[in-house]
Amino acid sequence: MSLADRHAAPDAPVRGRPRSEALERAIVEGVMKLLEDGVPLAELSVERIARTAGVGKATIYRRWSGKEELFADVVRTAEPPDPELPGTSMRDDLVAILEQLRRRGLVSRSSAILHNVYAQMKSSPKLWSAYHATVVEPRRRLQTEVLRRGQRNGELREDIDIEVLSDIIVGPMLVRAVMHPDAELPEGLSEQIVDAVLEGLRPVSSPS
């Protein structure tokens, strides 16, 4: 399956004129085609993307401020979609969040194109910054919101630093998915990590 076949319209805010899904799909698929043809990110100019997609450069700039922001959207569409949280408990929501990271790791390993794009993206400070702002940060905010709600609902100790706990929860999955690409990412890993972390962080009832 090509990256273009995996496309889903990104949920980015409206810029300029009303957005057209058909135009945006053509643009995103134009970038994906160039990547699949082996064109390095550094050589993907807005002009070349516009020509491949069959649109004008102005059409691209009305939707993205520059190619870095466009690339961030393209990479996001090639990843598994952000999870729909069940909302039944903090534990279940955290499992859903980690499961998205696990699937993302599996997709990255199976796609030589995505693996190459991630490597190139990290070598470009502007592109990595755009990806971090539009993809990484929203996901982190979602996770911290789940943890804060858990504190309010009494599912989590109130003396825990939420930012530190967020790193503790996603850390094991990121280590396996990114730092150790040969490590296994089996089904059930998300539940195993969340349950192991939360076991020692539940509120302790005061003695009678």
Side-chain angles (χ1 to χ4, degrees):
M1 179 182 294
S2 69
L3 290 184
D5 293 332
R6 299 179 54 83
H7 174 68
D11 296 326
V14 174
R15 306 177 189 87
R17 299 182 182 179
R19 303 185 69 137
S20 163
E21 285 192 16
L23 280 175
E24 289 182 4
R25 184 181 180 87
I27 294 166
V28 170
E29 289 185 346
V31 177
M32 290 179 172
K33 182 181 185 304
L34 290 168
L35 292 174
E36 289 167 350
D37 289 343
V39 180
L41 288 177
E43 297 179 14
L44 287 181
S45 65
V46 171
E47 182 177 5
R48 187 170 187 176
I49 294 169
R51 185 168 61 251
T52 301
V55 301
K57 288 194 297 182
T59 300
I60 295 178
Y61 282 120
R62 280 197 294 268
R63 289 158 175 80
W64 293 276
S65 61
K67 69 176 185 179
E68 289 82 11
E69 189 181 16
L70 169 56
F71 291 159
D73 270 356
V74 169
V75 175
R76 183 173 188 170
T77 64
E79 296 177 346
D82 289 343
E84 291 187 12
L85 303 186
T88 51
S89 68
M90 177 186 67
R91 184 261 185 192
D92 292 345
D93 287 350
L94 291 175
V95 167
I97 290 171
L98 278 196
E99 186 61 15
Q100 192 273 347
L101 289 177
R102 187 184 75 87
R103 292 197 305 269
R104 177 177 176 268
L106 291 172
V107 169
S108 300
R109 292 178 183 183
S110 64
S111 171
I113 296 170
L114 261 184
H115 183 77
N116 185 39
V117 168
Y118 284 137
Q120 294 184 66
M121 186 167 59
K122 290 178 181 178
S123 68
S124 169
K126 288 183 66 177
L127 181 52
W128 180 246
S129 178
Y131 179 78
H132 197 275
T134 61
V135 179
V136 177
E137 278 302 320
R139 290 172 178 169
R140 184 176 179 83
R141 285 197 299 270
L142 176 63
Q143 183 169 314
T144 56
E145 288 169 6
V146 168
L147 292 172
R148 290 194 176 94
R149 188 172 68 245
Q151 282 186 326
R152 293 194 299 268
N153 294 342
E155 299 174 90
L156 183 65
R157 281 167 35 192
E158 295 183 356
D159 62 331
I160 298 296
D161 185 309
I162 293 298
E163 295 294 332
V164 172
L165 179 55
S166 180
D167 292 338
I168 291 174
I169 290 174
V170 302
M173 189 67 79
L174 290 178
V175 166
R176 286 202 177 201
V178 179
M179 297 181 66
H180 298 292
D182 295 330
E184 294 184 357
L185 293 171
E187 290 188 16
L189 179 61
S190 301
E191 290 87 347
Q192 182 181 353
I193 292 173
V194 171
D195 290 340
V197 173
L198 293 184
E199 182 62 30
L201 296 176
R202 303 185 193 283
V204 179
S205 300
S206 300
S208 302

